[in-house]
Amino acid sequence: MCDLEDAVAPSEKGRARELVARLLAEVQTACARMVRVNGIDTPYWREDLAAIEGLSLDAVVVPKATPQAISALGEEGPPLLALIETAAGVRLAYETASQPRVFALALGAADLGAEVGLEPRPDGLEILYARSKVVLDSAAAGVRPPFDVVHLDVRDSEGLEAECRLARSLGFRGKLCIHPAQVPVVNRVFSPTFEEVEWARRVVDAFEAGISSGRGAIGLQGMLVDRPVVERARAVLEEASQAEGGTR
């Protein structure tokens, strides 16, 4: 992901736009190509959009996303990854996710924490509500599960892994990264394990065999297998397929 936002000094915005446009035009990659533009509360976002117009992008990342911010970008263009990182953004996450161009939400903790006065905790409890709300609002809006917050300590791989596992247990299916070294850990944790995939296959096979024999629910190794369990199993198989295809 190329970033035109906070990491670039105002005096360097023009050069950054030129660099991003040149790199995306010249570099070929199998990875998703996204550009994070400046927010609509800044004087830079219109020039950012003009600079990336015509580029082949998989998505545009919108900081401090709200329905108003999404609407300002118009109805045409690449899909939008909406970064929820303000109190208003959290409150209106469902409305943001329901906008036609939005394909996913992502949670940002730094700006949100500064605005609300949150104090970071090792267990992440201070953003539990925000995490859970963007997961539920994403599901209710019918978009893919959201991306979790960045882990700021790039040397702390153990902490990163623990944070990924927590986020996955809450319903996230991806995590924002600030350094390439974080990507392998994130991909590993958010990809189903061999054991999870085998469980999912057994569940789906057993359920389909039961349906063929006229049963709506069956038992598998002491566990009741009905449609909610099967849907979870099918989701695991879909995630495994996406991971193998490099689309996660």
Side-chain angles (χ1 to χ4, degrees):
M1 179 176 71
C2 295
D3 194 341
L4 290 174
E5 208 211 357
D6 295 339
V8 180
S11 62
E12 295 297 313
K13 297 288 187 184
R15 291 180 58 187
R17 294 186 191 103
E18 295 174 1
L19 177 61
V20 166
R22 187 175 77 249
L23 286 175
L24 290 175
E26 296 176 354
V27 176
Q28 301 300 315
T29 175
C31 297
R33 297 154 59 93
M34 304 184 191
V35 173
R36 174 171 166 162
V37 297
N38 285 273
I40 67 165
D41 59 337
T42 73
Y44 310 112
W45 66 278
R46 297 184 194 278
E47 293 179 79
D48 292 347
L49 293 181
I52 63 176
E53 186 176 357
L55 295 176
S56 178
L57 296 177
D58 295 288
V60 173
V61 182
V62 184
K64 299 184 179 179
T66 62
Q68 178 186 9
I70 299 300
S71 296
L73 272 63
E75 299 179 356
E76 303 295 329
L80 303 178
L81 175 60
L83 186 54
I84 306 300
E85 53 183 345
T86 63
V90 172
R91 184 175 178 82
L92 298 172
Y94 170 76
E95 290 80 359
T96 298
S98 299
Q99 298 296 308
R101 286 181 63 186
V102 173
F103 81 95
L105 303 180
L107 182 62
D111 285 314
L112 177 63
E115 178 184 0
V116 180
L118 303 178
E119 296 183 1
R121 295 167 51 105
D123 58 8
L125 190 59
E126 79 282 1
I127 56 170
L128 177 60
Y129 170 75
R131 275 176 162 150
S132 296
K133 189 172 189 301
V134 298
V135 168
L136 292 173
D137 286 346
S138 295
V143 298
R144 64 149 283 161
F147 297 89
D148 190 40
V149 301
V150 299
H151 187 74
L152 295 175
D153 188 346
V154 298
R155 299 167 296 180
D156 179 21
S157 59
E158 291 185 3
L160 171 63
E161 180 168 343
E163 200 170 86
C164 288
R165 295 194 182 281
L166 171 62
R168 188 182 178 201
S169 75
L170 294 173
F172 287 86
R173 287 301 181 267
K175 191 169 181 67
L176 302 177
C177 298
I178 57 172
H179 193 279
Q182 297 177 323
V183 174
V185 175
V186 171
N187 283 344
R188 173 169 53 81
V189 174
F190 283 97
S191 297
T193 65
F194 174 80
E195 291 76 15
E196 289 171 332
V197 172
E198 288 301 300
W199 168 84
R201 286 175 178 157
R202 289 196 302 270
V203 166
V204 171
D205 289 346
F207 184 77
E208 291 178 350
I211 291 294
S212 298
S213 62
R215 292 176 292 165
I218 63 170
L220 177 66
Q221 298 177 335
M223 179 181 66
L224 175 66
V225 176
D226 56 6
R227 288 198 176 274
V229 176
V230 175
E231 290 307 311
R232 178 185 168 203
R234 286 174 174 157
V236 169
L237 294 178
E238 176 63 21
E239 290 172 16
S241 176
Q242 291 176 349
E244 291 175 359
T247 58
R248 290 184 61 80

